[in-house]
Amino acid sequence: TTTTTTTTPKKITVEITTDTVDDSDEDDDEDAEATEGADMTPKAVVKQLDRYIVGQPDAKRAVAVALRNRWRRHQVAAPMRDEIMPKNILMVGPTGCGKTEIAKRLAKLADAPFLKVEATKFTEVGFHGRDVDQIIRDLVENAIALERVKAKRRLAAAVSAAVEQRLVEALVGADADTGTVEQFRTLLRNGDLDERTVDVEVPPSNASSKGVLSTGGNGELHAGMQELVIKVDQIFGSKGKGGGRMEKRRMTVKEARPILEEMEYDKSLSPDTLARDALVSAEQDGIVVIDEIDKIVSSNDHRHGADASSEGVQRDLLPIVEGTVVNTKYGNVDTSHILFICSGAFHSTKPSDMLAELQGRLPIRVELQGLTKRDLFRILTEPDYNMIRQQQELLRSEGIDLHFEEDAVDAIAQVAFEVNRTMDNIGARRLHTIVEKILEELSFDAPDWARDERRRLREEKGERPEVVRFTVDKAYVEAKVRHLLETSDVSKFIL
């Protein structure tokens, strides 16, 4: 009989673990390189999405073609280019099938201004709450942040050299001989001077202009107040870029480097240029994902008057999706060429319950399929950062090598599928519930269990392993989730 907790597997049928990724930043760089410019082919985009999302080929193909069309449009001559409008997308599918995950991964693949919003956050114009124009304003803010990142990427080498020179001068003084300067430069590059204290001139800390006023219920009002405070501070405090008040502060080299880098970037970057480029980027390449759009749709059989968060929001979305001019604090934005991707489960309503005009503005409709047992098994094992691997990395920090046998993974998928079928179907999110339940006891006892297991191996076998193995097999899974199966069986007989 297989015990519920084993320290070594009786038979290893499959190894779920994969080679450890060296650096997540490298993955992001690979994504950017694989989908940059002319290389951003539909097949390349689908290949990148396949690394993180199981199945749903139709939705992947739709967004991949939409991204490629953004690039194709830029290759067309000016008169025709202005007439080519994006084909907006409506993704329909049950909860937990990958709609939001596709949007999330699309944001990393698209080197363009991107915004994902929940439709339920907005109310009809005239009611207290956020109106839909805020979508475009937020998109412009994201575009400015993206342009700043791109500009920093271009200036990185020059800024790094300037900061290095300032730190060397702060360490050795301006009159040091060349040999001493080069010696300290080498030590600085090697990180040997990170804990050395230096005196550097930095702008005075001013909490009032660093975002204190930017938080709160009405983001637009507070953003305006923040802008006013900054302008007043510039009038009375500083006299031009780089020529304002400075204060000398003592800090370590490690602390001073990011501050000096930010100062150098501020000297090189023009806010007006950033805003101008961001407006163009948002207009020409912006992508907006509106999730949970079914929550603002009422069934034709249950419409009782106006609803501030329902049909009124649909009416307000019409001009923005069709193409209108929205005023932002950086300038006007024409939404005609912004790509809109809407998604929703439509459990209690149908896409045909949307306003006919809004349906017409979402010409491409993609049906996402519910997840099968095979899909759930693949979700557990195939994506680069699958759930099992995440749990393995978490417990590895405790000195535990967590191993799942193939029949255990199959049992998890089977339980998730059965519970989704007999109770509320929440798709892949059910896997999180089951995996956490299976590992709940081990996660709680991990430090003590690892210590006791190492002691046992040392006393019985004379071994001194740094990492001890914990194997999860089918019997262990069934013992931990038996109550879920019993609950689902009983629920079938409840009227």
Side-chain angles (χ1 to χ4, degrees):
T1 303
T2 305
T3 56
T4 58
T5 305
T6 58
T7 57
T8 56
K10 293 182 177 180
K11 180 181 178 182
I12 300 176
T13 55
V14 65
E15 184 64 53
I16 301 298
T17 55
T18 57
D19 294 335
T20 303
V21 177
D22 294 334
D23 193 347
S24 59
D25 293 337
E26 293 180 3
D27 277 345
D28 294 339
D29 293 340
E30 289 177 5
D31 291 350
E33 292 173 3
T35 58
E36 193 170 296
D39 294 332
M40 192 172 61
T41 64
K43 286 185 178 179
V45 173
V46 171
K47 183 179 179 181
Q48 292 296 325
L49 291 175
D50 283 341
R51 295 175 57 191
Y52 307 102
I53 303 163
V54 170
Q56 312 303 352
D58 293 342
K60 291 176 183 175
R61 289 167 66 93
V63 297
V65 171
L67 276 182
R68 184 62 174 181
N69 282 338
R70 315 292 282 166
W71 176 84
R72 291 168 178 163
R73 178 176 167 273
H74 287 295
Q75 315 309 311
V76 179
M80 177 63 74
R81 182 172 64 236
D82 295 337
E83 297 298 322
I84 299 176
M85 302 299 174
K87 306 301 185 293
N88 299 319
I89 301 172
L90 174 63
M91 293 194 296
V92 180
T95 183
C97 69
K99 301 185 300 295
T100 303
E101 189 68 18
I102 289 175
K104 173 184 172 183
R105 296 299 171 182
L106 187 64
K108 293 187 176 182
L109 294 177
D111 191 20
F114 184 94
L115 178 69
K116 177 183 174 296
V117 297
E118 306 288 334
T120 52
K121 288 184 177 179
F122 301 96
T123 57
E124 186 178 355
V125 172
F127 291 84
H128 178 71
R130 302 180 65 182
D131 62 82
V132 295
D133 286 354
Q134 190 63 38
I135 294 175
I136 306 303
R137 298 189 186 103
D138 291 342
L139 180 67
V140 172
E141 294 288 350
N142 290 353
I144 289 177
L146 179 62
E147 288 298 321
R148 186 173 179 85
V149 169
K150 291 181 179 178
K152 284 185 174 182
R153 201 179 298 155
R154 294 192 300 267
L155 299 169
V159 167
S160 179
V163 170
E164 182 182 88
Q165 184 60 32
R166 290 188 62 176
L167 288 173
V168 169
E169 291 179 359
L171 288 165
V172 301
D175 301 328
D177 59 86
T178 305
T180 302
V181 169
E182 292 304 318
Q183 184 179 2
F184 270 80
R185 192 185 304 276
T186 302
L187 292 172
L188 182 64
R189 289 175 178 175
N190 294 336
D192 297 330
L193 302 178
D194 283 352
E195 302 304 322
R196 182 73 65 91
T197 303
V198 292
D199 293 326
V200 294
E201 288 188 341
V202 298
S205 57
N206 188 349
S208 65
S209 63
K210 295 298 181 181
V212 174
L213 293 176
S214 63
T215 58
N218 192 330
E220 183 182 0
L221 173 63
H222 286 224
M225 290 292 294
Q226 182 187 24
E227 184 181 14
L228 176 62
V229 171
I230 293 174
K231 287 182 177 179
V232 172
D233 182 68
Q234 290 174 345
I235 293 173
F236 292 101
S238 60
K239 297 180 175 64
K241 186 179 296 184
R245 295 179 290 115
M246 304 289 282
E247 66 180 17
K248 185 168 288 189
R249 293 174 56 190
R250 178 165 294 181
M251 61 186 73
T252 63
V253 170
K254 188 175 182 180
E255 295 170 339
R257 191 186 297 273
I259 297 176
L260 295 177
E261 286 178 351
E262 200 62 32
M263 291 172 59
E264 291 295 329
Y265 281 125
D266 287 341
K267 289 180 182 179
S268 304
L269 299 178
S270 167
D272 294 336
T273 302
L274 284 177
R276 183 171 61 251
D277 293 343
L279 286 176
V280 174
S281 181
E283 283 186 344
Q284 301 299 320
D285 298 313
I287 301 175
V288 174
V289 173
I290 304 177
D291 202 3
E292 307 292 354
I293 196 169
D294 58 310
K295 304 304 186 294
I296 61 169
V297 177
S298 300
S299 173
N300 291 324
D301 301 330
H302 299 87
R303 287 184 178 170
H304 303 288
D307 184 350
S309 299
S310 184
E311 194 167 311
V313 179
Q314 293 186 58
R315 287 194 295 267
D316 292 342
L317 281 173
L318 289 177
I320 291 181
V321 178
E322 175 69 16
T324 188
V325 175
V326 176
N327 182 33
T328 73
K329 65 180 180 181
Y330 302 102
N332 293 333
V333 177
D334 186 354
T335 68
S336 299
H337 295 100
I338 295 176
L339 173 65
F340 289 87
I341 301 176
C342 300
S343 64
F346 290 94
H347 285 306
S348 57
T349 57
K350 305 183 297 293
S352 58
D353 291 329
M354 299 169 62
L355 294 180
E357 297 86 351
L358 187 57
Q359 293 182 51
R361 288 161 173 79
L362 301 169
I364 300 178
R365 186 172 302 178
V366 181
E367 297 280 348
L368 283 80
Q369 304 302 316
L371 300 176
T372 64
K373 176 191 169 184
R374 177 62 182 169
D375 292 332
L376 294 171
F377 181 89
R378 294 176 59 199
I379 289 171
L380 286 169
T381 57
E382 291 186 10
D384 283 3
Y385 304 105
N386 58 66
M387 296 181 199
I388 288 180
R389 183 177 172 191
Q390 292 175 25
Q391 295 292 340
Q392 288 170 333
E393 294 301 322
L394 287 173
L395 288 175
R396 194 180 301 276
S397 64
E398 300 279 6
I400 298 176
D401 177 20
L402 181 63
H403 173 74
F404 284 78
E405 293 192 351
E406 185 179 18
D407 58 355
V409 180
D410 188 73
I412 295 173
Q414 179 65 36
V415 172
F417 179 75
E418 288 296 329
V419 176
N420 277 342
R421 184 175 62 85
T422 56
M423 302 177 68
D424 292 332
N425 186 355
I426 60 174
R429 295 183 178 93
R430 182 73 66 186
L431 292 173
H432 288 284
T433 303
I434 294 174
V435 171
E436 289 295 330
K437 187 63 181 177
I438 291 170
L439 299 178
E440 181 180 27
E441 183 179 347
L442 176 62
S443 296
F444 186 81
D445 296 329
D448 299 329
W449 183 89
R451 184 187 63 247
D452 295 341
E453 184 65 12
R454 278 192 291 266
R455 182 188 301 121
R456 186 188 67 82
L457 292 175
R458 184 174 63 251
E459 294 174 353
E460 295 180 3
K461 300 182 180 181
E463 299 176 358
R464 295 179 178 271
E466 294 185 2
V467 178
V468 290
R469 169 165 285 203
F470 186 96
T471 299
V472 177
D473 55 18
K474 182 178 180 180
Y476 187 84
V477 171
E478 291 176 346
K480 294 297 182 181
V481 299
R482 186 179 295 113
H483 71 286
L484 290 177
L485 296 174
E486 292 173 352
T487 302
S488 63
D489 289 340
V490 172
S491 68
K492 292 187 294 187
F493 303 101
I494 298 177
L495 300 179

